[in-house]
Amino acid sequence: MVRKSSWEWSRTAQTRKSMLQAAREVFSEHGFAEANVSEVVARAGSSVGSLYHHFGGKTELFLALYEDHQVAHEQASASSVAKAKKEGVADPVELLIAGARAYLAGAWERRDLVRLFIDGDGPPGFELIRRTRGREWVRQNAVLLGAGGEPLDRFTVAVLTSIIGEAAREVATSDSEDEAQEVIEAAVTLIHRLDPLRTLNHP
């Protein structure tokens, strides 16, 4: 078996990155259905063969873009929660809010992608992937909040997660960063008003 040199790995990573950036532009401008693979590779300075080699096709390219976007959200939120813990924050709701702030900041930074993925114009099966990811997000928030397994607990966590998700939509469609920040603060205020720790059963 021939091993790839570090230069070859670097070139492969750069090719993938260039294609994803080009795909981000083309999908954001045209949507999934109207996006053309030839336009993606032209912008990436690559070839159709190279795109199929790295991703397999337009659907896989779209899903890779979605996966990278979600990973960026998750890493930013996890890092923000870890930082808050290190600073001595122990209140689960405040930790949730720390993660939510990072998530919503990412929604503004990558607002073109948020708008793309909520638009409903994706490949077959994409909505199922989104819903599955959403359920996993609720589960992670339940762990962070130390929620029990009662129906009211599950519903409460789902509502809190929905608030953050809907806020992300509003942030992504805001006309300015100041307006986006107002939405973020409104979401935080709403979470505080719900006072979830009074509702949740802790095991």
Side-chain angles (χ1 to χ4, degrees), residues 166-183:
E166 289 303 315
R169 292 170 183 256
E170 292 299 317
V171 163
T173 54
S174 293
D175 293 328
S176 68
E177 189 170 0
D178 285 345
E179 186 179 312
Q181 193 58 45
E182 287 179 14
V183 174

Side-chain angles (χ1 to χ4, degrees), residues 2-202:
V2 179
R3 290 181 176 273
K4 283 191 175 183
S5 68
S6 59
W7 178 82
E8 287 176 310
W9 280 119
S10 176
R11 188 177 67 165
T12 297
Q14 184 56 48
T15 299
R16 185 180 187 278
K17 183 178 179 182
S18 297
M19 285 187 180
L20 284 172
Q21 180 56 40
R24 176 176 179 171
E25 295 169 6
V26 173
F27 284 135
S28 294
E29 290 170 17
H30 304 295
F32 174 78
E34 297 299 321
N36 195 304
V37 165
S38 60
E39 186 175 354
V40 173
V41 297
R43 292 197 193 190
S46 190
S47 67
V48 173
S50 183
L51 183 146
Y52 281 96
H53 171 73
H54 285 282
F55 295 99
K58 187 169 82 165
T59 292
E60 292 81 1
L61 185 60
F62 184 93
L63 295 179
L65 197 61
Y66 176 72
E67 181 64 22
D68 277 11
H69 173 63
Q70 291 301 317
V71 167
H73 266 327
E74 290 166 6
Q75 289 178 342
S77 295
S79 177
S80 185
V81 170
K83 181 174 181 288
K85 286 182 177 179
K86 191 173 181 180
E87 292 171 352
V89 177
D91 185 328
V93 175
E94 293 305 321
L95 292 174
L96 176 75
I97 288 171
R101 284 187 181 279
Y103 182 93
L104 295 173
W108 172 253
E109 291 166 8
R110 297 185 302 281
R111 52 195 178 277
D112 56 330
L113 291 176
V114 176
R115 291 194 295 264
L116 170 66
F117 297 133
I118 66 175
D119 192 39
D121 178 19
F126 178 59
E127 279 306 305
L128 177 59
I129 291 171
R130 270 206 327 155
R131 288 197 300 270
T132 301
R133 201 73 180 235
R135 287 194 295 270
E136 175 59 20
W137 187 18
V138 171
R139 188 196 67 78
Q140 291 171 356
N141 285 342
V143 171
L144 182 61
L145 290 166
E150 297 300 316
L152 181 58
D153 292 352
R154 293 196 300 271
F155 176 68
T156 300
V157 177
V159 167
L160 293 170
T161 305
S162 295
I163 288 171
I164 300 167
E166 289 303 315
R169 292 170 183 256
E170 292 299 317
V171 163
T173 54
S174 293
D175 293 328
S176 68
E177 189 170 0
D178 285 345
E179 186 179 312
Q181 193 58 45
E182 287 179 14
V183 174
I184 293 172
E185 295 308 320
V188 169
T189 298
L190 185 53
I191 291 170
H192 275 138
R193 284 180 181 171
L194 288 174
D195 197 6
L197 289 186
R198 291 186 60 188
T199 307
L200 294 171
N201 281 315
H202 293 78

